[in-house]
Amino acid sequence: MRQVEAFRAVMMSGGITAAASMLNISQPSVSRLIADMERAVGFRLFDRRGARVHPTAQAQALYEAVRRSYAGLDLLDQAARRIRAHPVGTVRIAALAAVAMSVLPAVIARFRILYPDIKVTVESLGQRAIEERIFLGQADLGIGVDTQGREGVRSTLLARAEYICILPANHHLATRPHLAVEDLAGEEFIGPMHEADALWNGIDSALADSGIPVSRRLETQHSQILYAFVEAGLGVSIAEPFSAPLFHRLGVAIRPIAPPVYLDFALLEPDIGPTPEIVAWLSEDVRRETAACLAHVQNVVSSKS
C-alpha cells in the first residue's frame, strides 16, 4: 500500500519532491518506494529525465486502476463526513429557491404530521452549491437540475418542466393566448445572466435560434427576482413555471411559448448505501407535490389560452 500511495502521489503531483511533500516523507523514501513497486509490477513506471520524471504508458494504465480503487475510499470518507455532520433527529434539504417556495411548504406540513419530532432544515441554494452539499454529505436531499454522471451524487428525475413566457399584466402581448419566441423581437427582455448556471441554457438557445433582437439591459440569475421585475413592468422574460401561480395572483401574465423550452429537474442524494426511510418519504412526496404544482400551472396557462 505504501508503494501504491507513493505512485499515486507522484502521478497526482507530477514529481518526486512534490509527492514527498504530499506524503510527509523524504524524497529518497518516495524514490525507493517507486523502485520497489517497479520491481513488483515488472515494468518501468517513470522515465527519469534530469530532475523530472515522466510516467510511461504502462504507468498511465495502472494509474487508472489505482484511481478507481481510491474512488471507493473517497466515498467512505464522504460517508464519514455525512455521519459527522448529521445531527440526530434532523433532515436537511438543499433546494433551488423556486422549488423550495412552491413545493416544500405542503410537503413539510404533511411530513410534520408523520414525523413530529424530526427537525427539518431547508437551504435555498444555486445548483452548484446544492450538488456540493449533497456530495459532502451536508444535505440529505437536494432538489435541483438533473445532474447525471456526477461522482458521489445520485440523481433521479423529478419532472420535466416546460418554461413559460411572463409579461406585465398590461403588456400588449398579454392579449394573445399563445406566443412565439419571435413575438419578443424588440422587447425589453429581463435576464438571464450569461454568467449564471446552466439552468438558463435553453432560454439562451431559444433566443439565439430565433435570431430575434431583444434588449437585455437588466439581468438576474434568480427567477423570483426576475418575476418581481416583470411584475414591476420592467420587461418580459421566459421563466421557470414553479413561481408562476404566486406571481400570477400578483398580476403577472403567463403564456405558453413556442418552440417550447424544457428543463429536467431532479432529486439528488449522496450516493452512499440505501436511502433512509424519512428521505425516501420526502422524495416521494416532493415528487407528488411537484406534479401537482406543474399541473396547476398548466391549468392556469390553459385558462388564458
Side-chain angles (χ1 to χ4, degrees):
M1 279 303 299
R2 292 295 287 169
Q3 294 171 11
V4 173
E5 286 176 353
F7 169 67
R8 177 174 179 258
V10 173
M11 293 295 289
M12 290 176 65
S13 66
I16 298 293
T17 302
S21 178
M22 282 179 62
L23 298 174
N24 199 28
I25 60 177
S26 68
Q27 184 176 335
S29 295
V30 175
S31 297
R32 184 170 59 253
L33 287 165
I34 294 298
D36 291 344
M37 186 169 178
E38 286 180 326
R39 284 191 293 272
V41 298
F43 51 80
R44 192 174 69 259
L45 294 172
F46 299 97
D47 291 323
R48 292 154 180 85
R49 304 170 193 167
R52 299 182 62 83
V53 294
H54 299 270
T56 63
Q58 293 96 326
Q60 295 284 10
L62 183 62
Y63 179 62
E64 180 59 28
V66 170
R67 189 193 65 78
R68 287 197 299 268
S69 297
Y70 270 83
L73 295 176
D74 289 341
L75 288 177
L76 286 178
D77 182 57
Q78 178 187 346
R81 291 197 303 270
R82 182 184 185 185
I83 293 168
R84 285 197 305 270
H86 197 310
V88 175
T90 300
V91 61
R92 300 154 304 169
I93 303 172
L96 295 171
V99 183
M101 182 183 71
S102 58
V103 171
L104 288 183
V107 171
I108 293 173
R110 290 188 288 266
F111 181 84
R112 292 174 69 177
I113 295 172
L114 291 175
Y115 302 96
D117 298 326
I118 301 293
K119 178 181 177 181
V120 180
T121 66
V122 178
E123 275 194 289
S124 170
L125 301 168
Q127 176 68 20
R128 293 186 184 93
I130 292 171
E131 291 179 25
E132 201 63 21
R133 288 286 195 277
I134 294 296
F135 177 77
L136 294 175
Q138 295 171 349
D140 304 292
L141 180 65
I143 310 173
V145 173
D146 197 14
T147 176
Q148 295 293 339
R150 163 130 192 198
E151 191 173 41
V153 177
R154 186 184 306 152
S155 178
T156 57
L157 182 65
L158 174 62
R160 170 162 286 189
E162 181 175 351
Y163 276 47
I164 53 178
C165 184
I166 59 174
L167 315 104
N170 60 354
H171 196 279
H172 69 96
L173 290 177
T175 60
R176 303 186 187 182
H178 303 86
L179 295 174
V181 174
E182 290 79 3
D183 295 328
L184 303 182
E187 294 293 333
E188 194 72 40
F189 191 87
I190 304 173
M193 293 176 64
H194 290 293
E195 299 84 4
D197 286 343
L199 280 66
W200 299 108
N201 286 351
I203 298 171
D204 277 338
S205 297
L207 293 172
D209 291 346
S210 69
I212 64 164
V214 294
S215 173
R216 296 176 66 137
R217 297 186 298 166
L218 179 59
E219 295 184 341
T220 178
Q221 76 272 38
H222 296 296
S223 63
Q224 289 95 341
I225 297 175
L226 187 150
Y227 269 92
F229 287 162
V230 171
E231 192 272 333
L234 299 176
V236 304
S237 192
I238 299 172
E240 50 80 16
F242 293 100
S243 305
L246 170 61
F247 283 92
H248 177 64
R249 293 196 295 271
L250 297 176
V252 173
I254 62 176
R255 298 290 183 269
I257 190 160
V261 178
Y262 296 101
L263 189 63
D264 288 339
F265 289 80
L267 295 166
L268 311 177
E269 295 178 60
D271 193 14
I272 308 169
T275 302
E277 176 190 338
I278 58 174
V279 176
W281 187 95
L282 278 169
S283 297
E284 189 56 37
D285 209 51
V286 166
R287 193 180 303 280
R288 284 193 294 266
E289 190 64 27
T290 299
C293 176
L294 293 177
H296 176 55
V297 172
Q298 286 301 312
N299 288 337
V300 173
V301 171
S302 299
S303 70
K304 304 299 178 183
S305 302

